[in-house]
Amino acid sequence: MERTCRLLLLLSTLVYCSLGQGGASLSVSPDRSQFFEFESVSLSCEVQGNSTGWRVMRNAERGNLSECSTDWGKHQGSSCIVSLIPSSSGVYWCESGSGEHSNAVNITVHVGAVILESPALPVTEGYSVTLRCRYQGTPSDLTAVFYKDGSLIRAETTGEITIPAVSKSDEGLYKCSSSKGESPESWMTVTDAGPTPIPSPAVPVLSMSTPIPSPAVPVLSMSLPRLLCSILVGSPYLLVTIILLVKGCRSRTQGDRVEEE
């Protein structure tokens, strides 16, 4: 019974290591959420591990759920190329045959004269982002007025504004307007930058008279299953050796008990 429990522990650790390797993310090129009619966009699934079975899906504004190359889009290598028309507006994402899915991206196809070029994918805190009011054609007046969540930000004669270091407070609905018209609204998502990496300490220069300090015992920052994962997956021979040693020790113990009887 004890042997079975140990083998089950090893097996569950290996299964735990394999979890999370089927994740995927949707890549959008060009990275913007608004397009004019008849423009094209390239969508692809970036998968960690085996990409077989992943496909680009769409839920159109009319509620029609379908995948690329059915009645829209065309496969080109690992990408789905979409020639955009008004009915192309909707939510796009990647989905596997087992039902896993990636992040979702909203794409709007506008038939008017003005769109807002804003990132469709999330922007990381601290990075710079430029929002551009784009006109269909070449107007002489590039002045545009920008809004966030319905409130005026400011007007720019260059037709664009730049946020040098975005933060969570910059997340929201943006749009622009000009003498040529007004763009639809687009949501800009801002994600956390994550923990700041701790810089490695400088290596001290030791003189002959300076005693060499004992190395500090490193503190493991990973959980026990992750530690076992690193050891077992990286050294399969070590796994076999451990099992044989446990088996041999138990056989030897049972033999000693027989001799004593």
Side-chain angles (χ1 to χ4, degrees):
M1 184 68 181
E2 182 182 358
R3 178 187 177 189
T4 303
C5 292
R6 290 179 181 177
L7 291 177
L8 287 175
L9 173 62
L10 293 173
L11 179 61
S12 62
T13 303
L14 290 175
V15 172
Y16 179 76
C17 294
S18 65
L19 294 177
Q21 294 180 354
S25 60
L26 177 65
S27 174
V28 183
S29 180
D31 180 14
R32 50 189 171 93
S33 57
Q34 294 184 21
F35 293 85
F36 287 119
E37 188 178 11
F38 306 125
E39 290 187 314
S40 295
V41 62
S42 174
L43 307 171
S44 58
C45 300
E46 298 181 352
V47 182
Q48 298 177 0
N50 187 7
S51 61
T52 304
W54 285 88
R55 58 196 186 276
V56 178
M57 303 291 295
R58 182 183 78 183
N59 189 357
E61 288 184 343
R62 296 178 181 177
N64 298 325
L65 181 64
S66 57
E67 65 177 276
C68 179
S69 286
T70 50
D71 57 348
W72 59 273
K74 179 177 65 175
H75 284 296
Q76 184 174 312
S78 60
S79 301
C80 176
I81 309 300
V82 186
S83 297
L84 299 167
I85 56 177
S87 60
S88 302
S89 296
V91 179
Y92 294 78
W93 71 94
C94 295
E95 187 173 301
S96 70
S98 59
E100 296 175 289
H101 56 83
S102 71
N103 58 304
V105 170
N106 186 64
I107 290 179
T108 301
V109 182
H110 190 43
V111 294
V114 178
I115 62 172
L116 175 67
E117 290 190 347
S118 61
L121 299 174
V123 182
T124 305
E125 276 189 309
Y127 281 72
S128 173
V129 63
T130 297
L131 306 178
R132 182 176 295 105
C133 207
R134 183 179 163 207
Y135 314 113
Q136 194 171 32
T138 310
S140 57
D141 181 15
L142 296 178
T143 302
V145 182
F146 293 87
Y147 301 85
K148 176 181 179 289
D149 298 328
S151 299
L152 173 68
I153 302 176
R154 63 178 180 270
E156 288 288 349
T157 57
T158 59
E160 62 182 42
I161 59 171
T162 297
I163 306 173
V166 295
S167 63
K168 290 294 289 184
S169 62
D170 294 313
E171 191 172 75
L173 279 171
Y174 288 83
K175 70 175 182 179
C176 68
S177 65
S178 70
S179 59
K180 301 296 181 180
E182 184 177 277
S183 75
E185 289 184 318
S186 283
W187 181 270
M188 185 176 74
T189 302
V190 180
T191 58
D192 296 331
T196 303
I198 301 174
S200 301
V203 178
V205 179
L206 301 177
S207 64
M208 294 301 294
S209 59
T210 304
I212 300 177
S214 300
V217 178
V219 179
L220 296 178
S221 60
M222 64 177 68
S223 61
L224 178 58
R226 287 296 185 188
L227 177 60
L228 291 175
C229 169
S230 301
I231 296 175
L232 297 180
V233 175
S235 305
Y237 294 106
L238 177 60
L239 172 59
V240 175
T241 303
I242 291 174
I243 295 175
L244 292 177
L245 285 175
V246 172
K247 183 177 180 181
C249 289
R250 289 186 59 82
S251 299
R252 182 175 179 181
T253 302
Q254 292 175 357
D256 292 341
R257 290 177 181 174
V258 172
E259 291 178 0
E260 290 176 1
E261 293 176 356

